[in-house]
Amino acid sequence: MTESDNIVAETAERIFADLADAQTINHSKDTSWKAPLWRALSEAGLPLSWVSEENDGSGASMADGFSVLNIAGRCGIAVPLAETMLAGWLLSQAGIASPADAMTVAPAHPRDHIKLNADGTLSGRARSVPFARDAKHIAVLAASANGFSIALVDTTQGRIAPGFNLANDASDTVSFDNVRPIAVKPAPQGFDETSLMLMGGVARSLQIAGSLESMLDISVRYANERVAFEKKIAKFQAIQHNLAKLAGEAAAALAAASSAADAVANSSAFDDAIFLEAAAAKIRCAEAAEKGAAIAHQVHGAIGFTSEHILHRYTLRSLAWRDDFGNESHWAVELGKRVAARGADELWPLVASR
């Protein structure tokens, strides 16, 4: 890890520790904690980590941004940090300057498509767009007659149907009815919806890995505090076995997500190697989220299901993040198609090269 990585990570950890304590947020009666947190994140330049200084961003590296996403996952925050980072990255692909406000990206579902019409307006519908109602702008990838284009849209110009994910965070449907964007430019050659889905999938994988780390920490701490039959439950073999399984799932998710992030950070195109890394990471992290959440709640028993306990902040978000930018079933099918198309003789060289 470079000195820059350390500075960015330490800044993010300090802000989250000061302004996003899970227990404090869980006991909060309203969302007043969000404003100071977002202000601190913005002042540190974290939401626009992947935007160059020329486009009004902080100009951090891909690795810097990925470290922030992992830390954000460990904190289980419910603000559009990852979404704004992805939006800024998408706009940067076309050289469009990023606004300073909160943003999100569309589409966020592999089966949704937005079209750039001949008159320069946008049409289409995007489901499960995270934090759409809370964002001031949306970065849109739209198909046009000459390939793909990237557009910046004022959120108020679209029609938003409110929705929620498993963690009760905003996950909205946005309809674009001949919406005229603030800015629109062609996407780079070869950049398409799969590229956006892969990048979003890596972001969510890192967040899931972070949330699993927190689930493990919380579960181990609880097992060493809870007493049953006159001894700590961490002394029971069944609990020890479950905690070991949870540690394995957390480690596997972190390894897969980190490998994919490293591959993206060191590549200039979303080629087959990146597809393999990103798709595999989303599949493995989604599986780990399902297994890890179940184990964490088993360790905690009934108390882990109560709204007063912080465990649900991590388990529900990790499960919700499984569906964003393609769930594991989608990527398993697509990965299978990609491998089959290359032929049997190309499988081992592709896997071994990673």
Side-chain angles (χ1 to χ4, degrees), residues 75-126:
C75 296
I77 61 169
V79 294
L81 174 61
E83 292 72 20
T84 302
M85 291 174 63
L86 287 170
W89 168 81
L90 179 60
L91 294 172
S92 294
Q93 303 305 304
I96 299 176
S98 295
D101 302 313
M103 296 186 287
T104 189
V105 293
H109 191 286
R111 294 186 179 178
D112 291 341
H113 308 284
I114 301 170
K115 179 182 178 183
L116 178 64
N117 301 314
D119 62 357
T121 61
L122 299 172
S123 298
R125 186 185 68 159

Side-chain angles (χ1 to χ4, degrees), residues 321-337:
W321 289 333
R322 294 168 63 197
D323 293 328
D324 292 339
F325 304 102
N327 58 27
E328 64 265 41
S329 296
H330 165 79
W331 287 117
V333 171
E334 294 301 313
L335 184 57
K337 290 179 179 177

Side-chain angles (χ1 to χ4, degrees), residues 104-340:
T104 189
V105 293
H109 191 286
R111 294 186 179 178
D112 291 341
H113 308 284
I114 301 170
K115 179 182 178 183
L116 178 64
N117 301 314
D119 62 357
T121 61
L122 299 172
S123 298
R125 186 185 68 159
R127 296 167 295 170
S128 303
V129 177
F131 296 105
R133 80 191 78 160
D134 300 321
K136 299 295 184 181
H137 298 89
I138 303 176
V140 178
L141 181 65
S144 61
N146 300 317
F148 285 88
S149 295
I150 296 170
L152 175 64
V153 177
D154 187 324
T155 306
T156 61
Q157 300 302 304
R159 188 172 71 252
I160 297 178
F164 299 91
N165 63 17
L166 285 174
N168 209 37
D169 296 332
S171 183
D172 311 315
T173 297
V174 183
S175 297
F176 299 89
D177 300 321
N178 296 316
V179 170
R180 188 163 296 279
I182 297 171
V184 58
K185 291 183 179 180
Q189 185 70 28
F191 192 95
D192 57 15
E193 289 174 342
T194 299
S195 304
L196 175 58
M197 293 300 126
L198 289 172
M199 186 64 174
V202 173
R204 287 297 191 244
S205 295
L206 286 163
Q207 289 178 282
I208 291 173
S211 70
L212 282 163
E213 291 180 86
S214 292
M215 286 183 223
L216 177 60
D217 290 341
I218 294 169
S219 298
V220 169
R221 185 167 62 248
Y222 177 78
N224 281 299
E225 294 171 351
R226 179 76 166 89
V227 175
F229 304 106
E230 300 183 347
K231 66 178 180 179
K232 296 176 181 178
I233 64 172
K235 300 295 184 180
F236 290 97
Q237 187 175 13
I239 298 296
Q240 294 174 350
H241 180 64
N242 271 344
L243 290 176
K245 288 170 62 179
L246 177 54
E249 294 297 331
L254 182 60
S258 299
S259 180
D262 183 65
V264 172
N266 291 285
S267 178
S268 59
F270 287 86
D271 54 18
D272 281 352
I274 297 300
F275 188 98
L276 173 64
E277 289 273 5
K282 189 67 190 297
I283 294 168
R284 187 63 186 90
C285 289
E287 292 176 349
E290 179 183 10
K291 295 176 181 177
I295 293 170
H297 281 292
Q298 286 173 348
V299 171
H300 281 79
I303 193 174
F305 288 94
T306 63
S307 59
E308 289 80 9
H309 201 281
I310 62 172
L311 181 61
H312 66 84
R313 295 190 58 82
Y314 305 99
T315 57
L316 290 179
R317 285 197 172 84
S318 66
L319 293 172
W321 289 333
R322 294 168 63 197
D323 293 328
D324 292 339
F325 304 102
N327 58 27
E328 64 265 41
S329 296
H330 165 79
W331 287 117
V333 171
E334 294 301 313
L335 184 57
K337 290 179 179 177
R338 185 71 63 101
V339 170

Side-chain angles (χ1 to χ4, degrees), residues 40-59:
L41 292 171
S42 298
E43 290 174 354
L46 298 181
L48 299 182
S49 295
W50 289 328
V51 179
S52 66
E53 295 180 1
E54 291 76 10
N55 288 322
D56 302 327
S58 58

